[in-house]
Amino acid sequence: MAACLALAAALCPPAAAQEQASQAGQAGQAGQAGQAGDGGQAGDAARKPIITDEDFEKAIPPLEGNLESIEEWEAEQERLEEEAVRRAGAMPVRVQGADEREEAARAASLPMLDDMGEPIPLDSSLDQPLPPLSEFDLEPVDARALGEDTDLDRQLRYDWRIDGLDGLQGTVSESEVRSRFRGISALDDGDGSSATGTQLSSRLTADRQLLADILSAAGHFDAEVDPAIELPAPGQEGRANAILTVRPGPQYAFGTIAFDAPPVVPDNLINRNFPLKPGDPILAEDVLAAEAAIAVRLPRNGYPFAEVGQRDILLDEETRTGDYTLPITPGPRSRFGDVITQGDPVFDPEHIYVLARFRKGDLYDAEKLDDLRDALVATSLFSVVAVEPGRTGRDAGDDTEFADLIVRQSKGPQRSISLSGGYSTGQGLRAEGSWTHRNLFPPEGALILSGVAGTQEQGLGATFRRSNAGRRDRTVELSLTALHSNYDAYNAYTGRLAGRISYDSTPIWQKKLTYSYGFELLASSEKSYVFARQARERQTYYVAALPGQVGFDTTNDLLDPVRGFRLNLKLSPEYSGGDQNLFYGRGMVEGSAYRSFGSFVLAGRVRVGSIIGAGREDLAPSRRYYAGGGGSVRGFGYQELGPKDPDNNPVGGRSVVEGAVEARYRFGDYGVVAFVDAGQVYESSTPGFDDIRFGVGIGGRFYTNFGPVRLDVATPLGRKPGESRVAVYVSIGQAF
């Protein structure tokens, strides 16, 4: 009791202590009285105090010396803390031990009292949880060569370096660590520019953690990084040195690799798609890539609702290995179910399944779902479209269940206007425009109104086109056009009705194999030179044709290929009526190849065409073969090559040969091209491969996101009278 009273005296004023002593005496008296009741003793002993006031005063130790005030003590502590921060550049943090934490917890449970003995209310912020220990920097920057009078607010330039990386042992090299560090380093980003000592210390502290994280990601979990600053001596000019000293330690490797997951089908599905093995170094990017592979492969193999949990790596400091465990919840094995549309529908479920490359009941494959999403986007009929699986719980047999496809649709603009134009010597200016309603006849039934206006060609047309007609990527097209063509070879007024079914490449899906077949009905009034009568006369031709083509394409791009090759075969059996009835066939084979050497591309093209079954004079001039121009043999005007009439105008022929070689060099969004073109048109149906004409030139390219814009300038070799010295071509896309 004496010890308790002495403690109370140390915490309370004397008056309060005396009051407590008096209360203690009274309690003692009460206790003695109780004992008397039990033991039968009473009298003066019951009122005798345990300790007298004089003895109580003597029990308090005397205070010696002159004590400083509380205000003076607090000011001194604040000064010492500021000095420590000034010297170290960071505030040290001490972590309490278990005994200290227990004592602090007991002390925290006692209320603090004011001078009157009343509890002092605590700041509400003290009830907030403490930040995690990982947020504290336990290693202050070592600021070397600092004096007490060092001014950390002065501006100075600095150099920085990393020491100790030469001792790095493992699969990640020193150069890789330095490269990653430089990419996001605060010190390197500052570029040694002027900074205060405080700013330099802050950058160094941030980069210390960055370097530790990089080493940890490389499997060096025991790495230690010590920061230090060397400042020039006070009053002297010079550069500061920011130094990170590394002790990388050994690189950890995988010990055991385990998956916390229920059985899947097939039973090795997870293991065979996880590329890491015991003994491999523990590299963060490899671990993330391997886990991503699991997250991708499971949905591609029937598990659309698979979830990959948080990995656990248990490190062993003695063996320098880590036992890796990855929890995986695969969810039910599923098959494609029904299509459920939501939002503002553009397509019904039936047409959505037309676009899909799978059928209901097929094993779920996320890659095929992504393909369906791309097909929906490619229609250009949505402002927003999303496709995702939904659980149903419906049994699909073979221990699987159906996963419905939830398609959220938002209708986009249905109409568009397009314009294009170009110029070439011999053909002049030419501009095309069209107005399209892409879904006037749902689903995907488009109406296209088009027009062309040029110095030598004018026309109007209307086209009905149904995309994905009953089957993915199949297009049905019906068109009606009226066209006036005024060329040196002929002047024609033509009406055309045509239909076509095709399987074509698009900028989104470039296909290896393409085909088309259809019909053409033409009525054409054409004026051209007739050798039998040695005059230009107008004749009317009625032509019915069944054109078809097959293409094979291995190139990497439709408008700007740099590798691969293309082959294309066209055949068209035709009937011509008018002054005489006759049947003939038109055919053409064309091939091109591309080879890349870095920024340099070598490209080549060959084209051979023939018409059999009719003489040249019996053919409508517009159905004959011609050569020359931007898409044929550059250096010559449009249709300029081949046989000529007495007025030196081309008359066309029954066979054609063309070839071209281009050397393309690209730098950024620009490019230059050197080319040689060759070709000739022959009167016979069999090309003679003689009298080949050549054109040479150079060109410029401006590359856009929809293809290159080209400007070519060419000149003919062995120029003949009437041929232009220079031909210019402007268009979109490469020449071939």
Side-chain angles (χ1 to χ4, degrees), residues 11 23 25 279 302 329 403 408 448 466 509 523 537 633 690 694 697:
L11 297 175
Q23 293 173 351
T329 305
R408 297 183 175 89
I448 305 166
R466 186 175 296 282
W509 284 290
E537 295 182 355
V633 182
D690 57 353
F694 293 89

Side-chain angles (χ1 to χ4, degrees), residues 63-69 72:
L63 300 176
E64 299 178 356
N66 295 324
L67 297 179
E68 60 186 355
S69 67
E72 292 174 341

Side-chain angles (χ1 to χ4, degrees), residues 83-89 141-152 154 156 197 201 228-234 240:
E83 184 65 23
V85 172
R86 185 180 183 86
R87 290 179 176 275
V141 173
D142 176 18
R144 303 174 188 170
L146 295 178
E148 292 186 0
D149 59 345
T150 300
D151 182 10
L152 290 181
R154 67 171 172 146
L156 70 160
S201 175
I229 299 176
E230 292 180 348
L231 292 175

Side-chain angles (χ1 to χ4, degrees), residues 675-708:
F675 57 85
V676 178
D677 289 359
Q680 188 56 275
V681 174
Y682 302 93
E683 182 178 352
S684 66
S685 61
T686 302
F689 297 97
D690 57 353
D691 193 26
I692 299 292
R693 300 296 306 279
F694 293 89
V696 298
I698 59 174
R701 302 290 184 267
F702 175 63
Y703 292 90
T704 68
N705 58 358
F706 56 85

